Amino acid sequence: MVKKYSVKELLNKEKLFINKKVLVEGWIRSFRYSIFITLNDGSTVKNLQIILSNKLEKKIIKKITIGSSIRVIGIVKKSIGTKQCIELQSLDIIIYESINTEILQKSILQPKKHSLEKLREQAHLRFRTNIFSCIMRIRHHIAFCIHKYFHEHGFFYLHTPIITTSNCEGTGKMFQITTMDFKSKTIDYKKDFFKCKTYLSVSGQLEAETASLGLGRVYTFGPVFRAENSNTSRHLSEFWMIEPEIAFYHLEENINLAEDFLKFIIKYIVENSMEDLVFLNQYLEKYNRKKDNFLLEKLELILKFPFKKISYTEAVKILDQEEKEKNIKFLHPIIWGMDLQSEHEQYLVDKYFKIPVIIFDYPCNIKAFYMRMNDDGKTVRAMDILFPEIGEIIGGSQREERYDILLQRMKDTNTDQNKLWWYLDTRRFGSVPHSGFGLGFDRLVQFITGMNNIRDVIPFPRTPNHAEF
């Protein structure tokens, strides 16, 4: 029996396969002179050249079209061409499915450049394109190394519910879940499926906190949902979040963990996805007019220097000073107590420090109720990590472990204590200092791949007015 190999296996260990008979399967990327087939199976951005036997029947050759799926048995040979080191001289070929030429012309599989917007219109087919397959392979490696990092640092993977009764952030719209008929003017939620008003969760943080107070170190990694009508290149309605929670951790330890975590991911991707990164780098240079090695230099910058740490008050002072001294006009005026806008964050990272920035100790009135109050009574132990281009990549805090202060914060922010009785309860049974953060997975993939639109880094994007496929 002839052993089957992936294209990646053959190309990565090409010398081991010279003059050996192998079986390979995949989709045809190009077909030239009725002899040369370019084959790809999704395992790598590189293609395998197949030389068809001159004994092949003409009726079979006519069925070979771009996009068709095939099975080939052949002998691996050194290539006399300059574009590849090896090629496969076919002995036997089976066509699983050929594509009608007329259908092909209407699809994104035809061999020409398509806009990323066009690829989204045929999202079920874009996995077959070079650009999207590269992104998906990198996305896989990022997800894998996230689990690897937490496993090696003693964390336990926790599955938190996606159905909830409360909004842990206290802001923003949520997707409601119900089996009821809303034709009636009066709605009795006790007759609903869960006998109460429920939503799709925007975060697993509160549940993760309860677990950390028994397991020490936990993390969640799953989809969350936000019903904001944000049709921007940075927002999705359904997205993925990583949320670690650590007992006995103060803010400084939380900050150090977050920085180390991000650098681990970037380093892992540089070491394990260079082939795809190089392709994306070339794509960005050619079509987005980015400078040479833009993507690789950006990632190396993250690894090269420690992140700059400044307080919110320091950040406001710098921005105010820059505005006055350099006559910079921000769209949103700088005032202490405001929530920093994207323009402020990007100025600090891209113009002022030119490295990632960590801002901590934010005003309490712009942060969530569960963040630990500082002694000044004005700020909380919160932190954000800002990256080049995309701004906030991580948001976190030391959680408020003191029952009385947490209760007061819930009252001040009009947070429903009845729904979160269980969260309050954790502060009554051996509460300890603890911290955590949230990392938007899709935004991280967007940063690493250099894509301008977050819809191009997730398999099937869910955004306002778009829920196809």
Side-chain angles (χ1 to χ4, degrees):
M1 181 179 290
V2 182
K3 190 172 180 180
K4 180 165 68 175
Y5 294 93
S6 69
V7 172
K8 184 175 183 178
E9 287 175 310
L10 293 176
L11 296 179
N12 283 2
K13 299 178 181 179
E14 51 197 30
K15 292 181 180 179
L16 297 177
F17 293 104
I18 299 295
N19 296 323
K20 288 188 177 180
K21 184 187 286 189
V22 301
L23 184 156
V24 66
E25 296 168 312
W27 296 272
I28 297 173
R29 286 284 172 86
S30 69
F31 184 35
R32 297 176 292 118
Y33 310 120
S34 298
I35 298 175
F36 303 107
I37 286 178
T38 301
L39 192 77
N40 191 282
D41 64 356
S43 62
T44 174
V45 72
K46 295 179 180 178
N47 301 312
L48 178 66
Q49 179 164 281
I50 295 171
I51 312 297
L52 294 183
S53 169
N54 54 15
K55 297 179 181 179
L56 201 63
E57 295 180 24
K58 288 185 178 180
K59 64 179 181 180
I60 295 179
I61 292 177
K62 287 182 179 180
K63 292 182 179 179
I64 297 174
T65 58
I66 292 170
S68 299
S69 54
I70 61 173
R71 170 185 182 269
V72 183
I73 293 176
I75 305 294
V76 177
K77 295 289 185 179
K78 286 185 178 180
S79 176
I80 59 174
T82 58
K83 293 184 178 180
Q84 61 278 325
C85 294
I86 61 170
E87 57 193 20
L88 190 67
Q89 294 186 355
S90 68
L91 300 174
D92 181 60
I93 182 169
I94 293 175
I95 301 172
Y96 288 128
E97 185 72 34
S98 60
I99 297 180
N100 181 282
T101 305
E102 290 184 13
I103 295 175
L104 178 65
Q105 292 302 316
K106 297 177 182 178
S107 79
I108 59 174
L109 299 181
Q110 58 181 309
K112 70 174 188 177
K113 183 184 180 296
H114 302 280
S115 69
L116 295 172
E117 291 80 7
K118 181 67 175 179
L119 297 188
R120 280 180 230 132
E121 292 175 7
Q122 298 181 28
H124 59 302
L125 296 176
R126 63 178 180 167
F127 298 96
R128 302 262 292 275
T129 65
N130 279 333
I131 182 69
F132 200 68
S133 62
C134 277
I135 293 167
M136 288 299 103
R137 284 189 293 268
I138 290 174
R139 185 180 174 103
H140 156 77
H141 284 296
I142 297 171
F144 176 81
C145 76
I146 285 169
H147 288 296
K148 176 180 171 67
Y149 179 89
F150 285 128
H151 177 72
E152 291 177 355
H153 286 76
F155 283 75
F156 299 105
Y157 182 28
L158 187 73
H159 298 145
T160 53
I162 62 171
I163 298 174
T164 183
T165 59
S166 62
N167 182 353
C168 96
E169 298 295 333
T171 58
K173 295 182 179 179
M174 301 171 71
F175 291 101
Q176 188 175 346
I177 300 172
T178 183
T179 57
M180 294 180 65
D181 185 352
F182 279 88
K183 292 179 181 179
S184 173
K185 291 183 179 180
T186 58
I187 301 171
D188 183 3
Y189 283 105
K190 290 183 179 178
K191 296 179 180 178
D192 206 351
F193 189 86
F194 291 107
K195 297 190 182 299
C196 61
K197 205 171 184 179
T198 54
Y199 308 88
L200 291 177
S201 177
V202 298
S203 170
Q205 179 204 309
L206 301 187
E207 291 87 353
E209 276 191 63
T210 66
S212 72
L213 295 176
L215 293 170
R217 296 184 172 204
V218 301
Y219 73 102
T220 73
F221 188 177
V224 294
F225 308 85
R226 189 161 284 163
E228 298 290 342
N229 191 19
S230 298
N231 249 318
T232 76
S233 61
R234 298 174 61 204
H235 293 90
L236 292 166
S237 301
E238 177 186 356
F239 52 101
W240 285 65
M241 286 288 291
I242 302 105
E243 297 176 296
E245 290 291 329
I246 316 100
F248 305 102
Y249 246 45
H250 296 270
L251 182 66
E252 295 75 15
E253 296 168 295
N254 194 35
I255 287 173
N256 292 337
L257 175 75
E259 180 176 352
D260 185 64
F261 177 54
L262 286 169
K263 287 188 173 182
F264 178 89
I265 295 170
I266 301 295
K267 186 172 184 290
Y268 184 92
I269 296 305
V270 168
E271 291 177 350
N272 293 275
S273 297
M274 184 55 71
E275 186 177 273
D276 287 322
L277 287 175
V278 168
F279 177 87
L280 290 174
N281 198 81
Q282 292 170 345
Y283 174 89
L284 293 170
E285 288 175 13
K286 185 175 181 179
Y287 298 113
N288 290 19
R289 296 179 181 178
K290 299 290 187 180
K291 68 176 186 177
D292 291 352
N293 291 323
F294 158 78
L295 187 60
L296 301 177
E297 288 178 3
K298 181 181 72 171
L299 299 179
E300 287 170 2
L301 179 68
I302 305 299
L303 301 174
K304 191 173 182 180
F305 301 103
F307 297 175
K308 179 65 180 179
K309 301 176 180 67
I310 59 170
S311 70
Y312 169 89
T313 301
E314 290 176 291
V316 168
K317 191 179 294 184
I318 289 170
L319 292 167
D320 183 57
Q321 188 174 344
E322 289 288 292
E323 192 173 36
K324 290 175 181 175
E325 293 182 358
K326 296 185 178 179
N327 199 30
I328 295 167
K329 298 297 181 184
F330 291 117
L331 186 63
H332 301 85
I334 304 298
I335 303 171
W336 194 99
M338 70 178 295
D339 200 357
L340 296 180
Q341 302 299 306
S342 294
E343 60 174 335
H344 306 136
E345 295 174 344
Q346 289 175 354
Y347 185 86
L348 288 168
V349 177
D350 298 329
K351 304 291 185 184
Y352 193 82
F353 291 111
K354 298 182 180 179
I355 57 173
V357 177
I358 301 176
I359 300 178
F360 59 90
D361 286 353
Y362 282 83
C364 61
N365 64 321
I366 61 172
K367 290 297 181 179
F369 71 92
Y370 51 75
M371 298 183 177
R372 195 182 200 278
M373 185 71 73
N374 281 319
D375 293 339
D376 61 13
K378 297 178 181 179
T379 60
V380 289
R381 307 234 71 197
M383 65 90 170
D384 288 337
I385 298 183
L386 313 179
F387 262 20
E389 298 180 345
I390 61 171
E392 182 190 333
I393 190 80
I394 275 181
S397 70
Q398 183 174 334
R399 317 310 191 188
E400 183 57 78
E401 84 277 11
R402 298 164 294 186
Y403 178 86
D404 293 340
I405 296 177
L406 179 61
L407 182 61
Q408 186 58 50
R409 284 282 289 153
M410 293 176 77
K411 291 177 181 178
D412 293 341
T413 55
N414 296 316
T415 302
D416 194 334
Q417 303 162 45
N418 295 323
K419 288 182 179 178
L420 290 177
W421 62 269
W422 52 271
Y423 184 73
L424 275 168
D425 233 18
T426 59
R427 273 59 174 179
R428 297 170 59 232
F429 293 88
S431 182
V432 300
H434 58 288
S435 299
F437 60 80
L439 168 63
F441 178 67
D442 307 285
R443 195 168 287 185
L444 176 63
V445 179
Q446 186 182 4
F447 173 79
I448 290 175
T449 58
M451 302 308 293
N452 290 329
N453 198 313
I454 200 166
R455 294 170 180 146
D456 297 321
V457 302
I458 190 168
F460 299 101
R462 297 290 181 255
T463 55
N465 304 316
H466 292 91
E468 293 181 281
F469 311 106

